[in-house]
Protein backbone atom coordinates (compact mmCIF):
# COMPACT_ATOMS: atom_id res chain seq x y z
CA UNK A 1 0.00 0.00 0.00
CA UNK A 2 1.07 3.57 -0.51
CA UNK A 3 -0.40 7.04 -0.23
CA UNK A 4 -0.42 10.02 2.07
CA UNK A 5 -0.31 9.52 5.82
CA UNK A 6 -3.85 9.24 7.13
CA UNK A 7 -5.37 8.48 3.71
CA UNK A 8 -6.82 5.13 2.66
CA UNK A 9 -3.92 4.47 0.24
CA UNK A 10 -3.71 2.60 -3.05
CA UNK A 11 -2.71 -0.89 -4.07
CA UNK A 12 -1.49 -2.61 -7.23
CA UNK A 13 -1.28 -6.38 -7.67
CA UNK A 14 1.12 -8.10 -10.09
CA UNK A 15 0.92 -11.66 -11.36
CA UNK A 16 3.98 -13.72 -12.33
CA UNK A 17 4.48 -16.90 -14.31
CA UNK A 18 7.11 -18.24 -11.94
CA UNK A 19 9.15 -17.48 -8.85
CA UNK A 20 12.14 -16.12 -10.80
CA UNK A 21 9.98 -13.45 -12.47
CA UNK A 22 8.60 -12.40 -9.08
CA UNK A 23 12.06 -12.21 -7.49
CA UNK A 24 13.42 -10.19 -10.45
CA UNK A 25 10.49 -7.76 -10.15
CA UNK A 26 10.96 -7.32 -6.38
CA UNK A 27 14.71 -6.89 -6.76
CA UNK A 28 14.29 -4.23 -9.46
CA UNK A 29 11.68 -2.41 -7.36
CA UNK A 30 13.94 -2.32 -4.30
CA UNK A 31 16.93 -1.17 -6.38
CA UNK A 32 14.79 1.66 -7.76
CA UNK A 33 13.95 2.69 -4.19
CA UNK A 34 17.68 2.91 -3.41
CA UNK A 35 18.05 5.70 -6.00
CA UNK A 36 15.29 7.83 -4.42
CA UNK A 37 17.63 10.34 -2.72
CA UNK A 38 19.15 11.23 -6.11
CA UNK A 39 15.78 11.28 -7.90
CA UNK A 40 13.41 12.89 -5.41
CA UNK A 41 15.63 14.16 -2.61
CA UNK A 42 14.55 11.80 0.17
CA UNK A 43 14.91 8.11 0.88
CA UNK A 44 12.50 5.28 1.55
CA UNK A 45 12.75 3.71 5.00
CA UNK A 46 12.74 -0.06 5.52
CA UNK A 47 10.09 -0.84 8.13
CA UNK A 48 10.19 -4.64 8.10
CA UNK A 49 11.21 -7.56 5.94
CA UNK A 50 10.57 -11.25 6.26
CA UNK A 51 11.62 -14.17 4.11
CA UNK A 52 14.28 -12.22 2.20
CA UNK A 53 16.69 -15.17 2.22
CA UNK A 54 13.96 -17.57 1.14
CA UNK A 55 13.17 -15.46 -1.91
CA UNK A 56 16.76 -14.59 -2.86
CA UNK A 57 16.44 -10.92 -1.89
CA UNK A 58 18.83 -10.83 1.07
CA UNK A 59 21.48 -8.86 -0.85
CA UNK A 60 19.10 -6.14 -2.00
CA UNK A 61 17.41 -5.95 1.41
CA UNK A 62 20.88 -5.59 2.98
CA UNK A 63 21.73 -2.70 0.63
CA UNK A 64 18.39 -1.07 1.42
CA UNK A 65 18.87 -1.41 5.17
CA UNK A 66 22.45 -0.10 4.97
CA UNK A 67 21.29 2.97 3.06
CA UNK A 68 18.97 3.81 5.96
CA UNK A 69 21.64 3.45 8.64
Amino acid sequence: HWGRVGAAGSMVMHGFGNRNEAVAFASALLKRRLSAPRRIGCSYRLIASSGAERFGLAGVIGEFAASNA
Side-chain angles (χ1 to χ4, degrees):
H1 294 277
W2 69 90
R4 293 183 181 264
V5 173
S10 299
M11 184 174 66
V12 173
M13 295 180 73
H14 297 275
F16 303 98
N18 60 51
R19 179 181 172 152
N20 291 338
E21 289 177 11
V23 168
F25 178 84
S27 180
L29 185 68
L30 290 170
K31 286 179 182 178
R32 174 88 170 147
R33 297 294 182 258
L34 286 171
S35 70
R38 290 188 311 271
R39 291 182 297 107
I40 61 176
C42 61
S43 61
Y44 285 83
R45 190 174 342 155
L46 181 63
I47 302 299
S49 68
S50 62
E53 294 83 16
R54 187 172 35 147
F55 294 109
L57 296 170
V60 177
I61 293 289
E63 286 180 57
F64 201 86
S67 74
N68 289 307

